[in-house]
Amino acid sequence: MKQLVPTDEALIARIRRHDNDALEQLVSRYEVRVYNLAYRMLGNREDAEDVLQDTFVNVVRGLDKFRGRSSFSTWLYRVAANAALTKIRKRSRREKSESEFLDDVYSVRETAHSGSLLTDWSSNPATRLLDEEAKNEMNRAIDDLPEIYRAVFVLRDVEGLPAAEVAEVLGLSVAAVKSRLHRARLYLRNRLSGYFTAE
Amino acid sequence: MDCQEIFEELSEYIDENLARQKCRELERHLETCHNCRVVVDTLRRTVALYHSMPDEEVPEDVRLRLHKIIRLKPEE
């Protein structure tokens, strides 16, 4: 007979009764998602491992306070994104300022208006677009986004959350999510254009 | 719609969230504007490339350590 997969809520109810099997199941269900969110936001495995651990320790400690107003996964993403943002803020590395970033974002508009023709790399062979070197460049480009743009982009376009859920996770309006997402995408498009059209 | 206006609507366009009328105007512009067409196509490709990035596996030792750390104690 087919076994029913327990919902997050059912597992949480069992965890509240100190059921370690339920906790194992819940963590196994989400650990890859949390690890990948942290890895894309922080750009290295060591920091992603710390965030993975901090997130689940905080979730287990805070489970009594979780009232189910948002779904468990939204709450979990919020704890994980905050842990990753805290880690980014502790770094000594200088982040790109908002104005530098916006200059980069809108540089394509100036080029497009200057009359010179933009190069289309969108039909380049997939082997070239997805090779190891290209993936490294894609990760470096995410890492150069200012933190809030990075969080929005990773949650929406890498993790695939709907804009409304990204807004709930990050405490932003849907309009702010969409505007930041658009700028992040334009910035990354510019970076990849530079990379894929370089001689 | 001119290039400036188009530029701000491109994400909504590729996410298929644009109202029908605006969508039609944008597509009419794309038929004649090479640069806007390139930006749309490469923006769409950028999003698709990031979306198709394979997941990073959680290293086994990290996974085991995590499961050990969070185990609930009976008296908790």
Side-chain angles (χ1 to χ4, degrees):
Chain A
M1 216 171 82
K2 202 173 137 189
Q3 270 204 318
L4 284 178
V5 179
T7 61
D8 292 349
E9 290 69 28
L11 290 174
I12 289 165
R14 283 168 53 194
I15 295 166
R16 285 184 170 139
R17 298 194 298 270
H18 299 270
D19 181 335
N20 269 308
D21 288 341
L23 181 59
E24 285 272 326
Q25 277 188 66
L26 193 68
V27 174
S28 299
R29 188 173 286 177
Y30 287 108
E31 60 196 359
V32 175
R33 298 275 46 87
V34 170
Y35 183 72
N36 274 269
L37 169 69
Y39 179 70
R40 302 295 173 207
M41 280 182 66
L42 293 154
N44 72 78
R45 289 186 173 78
E46 205 175 282
D47 285 346
E49 288 166 19
D50 287 348
V51 166
L52 174 71
Q53 191 172 305
D54 291 351
T55 299
F56 281 108
V57 167
N58 288 334
V59 160
V60 171
R61 276 196 199 134
L63 212 52
D64 282 341
K65 282 178 259 161
F66 174 64
R67 295 277 169 261
R69 274 190 288 269
S70 53
S71 71
F72 172 74
S73 66
T74 300
W75 180 61
L76 175 68
Y77 271 119
R78 189 181 306 144
V79 176
N82 284 336
L85 288 169
T86 303
K87 194 112 190 146
I88 291 170
R89 284 167 195 154
K90 279 186 189 157
R91 285 173 172 175
S92 51
R93 199 186 75 174
R94 183 184 160 274
E95 291 268 317
K96 206 183 265 290
S97 73
E98 179 94 7
S99 65
E100 277 176 287
F101 171 70
L102 292 177
D103 283 349
D104 287 348
V105 165
Y106 290 108
S107 62
V108 64
R109 199 165 57 184
E110 311 313 319
T111 316
H113 286 159
S114 71
S116 52
L117 291 181
L118 296 175
T119 310
D120 187 1
W121 52 269
S122 65
S123 335
N124 282 12
T127 44
R128 167 83 179 96
L129 296 176
L130 290 166
D131 68 17
E132 218 36 51
E133 207 189 308
K135 271 190 242 159
N136 290 338
E137 175 61 15
M138 285 166 66
N139 282 327
R140 275 194 298 272
I142 293 190
D143 210 34
D144 285 339
L145 288 170
E147 60 183 46
I148 192 66
Y149 291 90
R150 199 181 320 167
V152 167
F153 179 78
V154 171
L155 286 165
R156 177 76 182 93
D157 278 350
V158 183
E159 288 300 311
L161 267 57
E165 191 176 354
V166 177
E168 208 181 333
V169 168
L170 296 175
L172 298 169
S173 66
V174 174
V177 165
K178 286 186 171 185
S179 136
R180 283 172 186 174
L181 177 70
H182 183 51
R183 288 169 177 178
R185 284 172 170 180
L186 288 171
Y187 174 82
L188 295 172
R189 190 216 74 89
N190 293 354
R191 282 284 297 264
L192 296 194
S193 293
Y195 178 78
F196 288 126
T197 59
E199 286 299 315
Chain B
M1 265 179 138
D2 63 13
C3 300
Q4 293 272 7
E5 290 170 79
I6 297 273
F7 209 76
E8 290 304 324
E9 305 286 358
L10 294 182
S11 277
E12 286 292 86
Y13 175 64
I14 64 171
D15 289 342
E16 300 180 356
N17 288 333
L18 218 52
R20 197 177 298 170
Q21 177 61 27
K22 257 192 174 170
C23 191
R24 267 200 297 264
E25 286 175 33
L26 193 146
E27 284 172 348
R28 251 200 310 274
H29 177 90
L30 293 182
E31 282 169 19
T32 56
C33 183
H34 167 87
N35 280 348
C36 281
R37 211 165 48 237
V38 170
V39 176
V40 169
D41 290 342
T42 50
L43 189 68
R44 190 182 273 131
R45 193 77 167 122
T46 298
V47 173
L49 281 173
Y50 276 103
H51 192 65
S52 65
M53 277 181 116
D55 276 342
E56 293 290 321
E57 290 294 319
V58 183
E60 193 53 20
D61 60 321
V62 173
R63 220 182 70 81
L64 291 174
R65 199 165 54 239
L66 170 68
H67 284 250
K68 198 172 161 191
I69 286 169
I70 54 154
R71 256 189 108 68
L72 303 163
K73 292 175 190 73
E75 69 273 19
E76 264 185 85

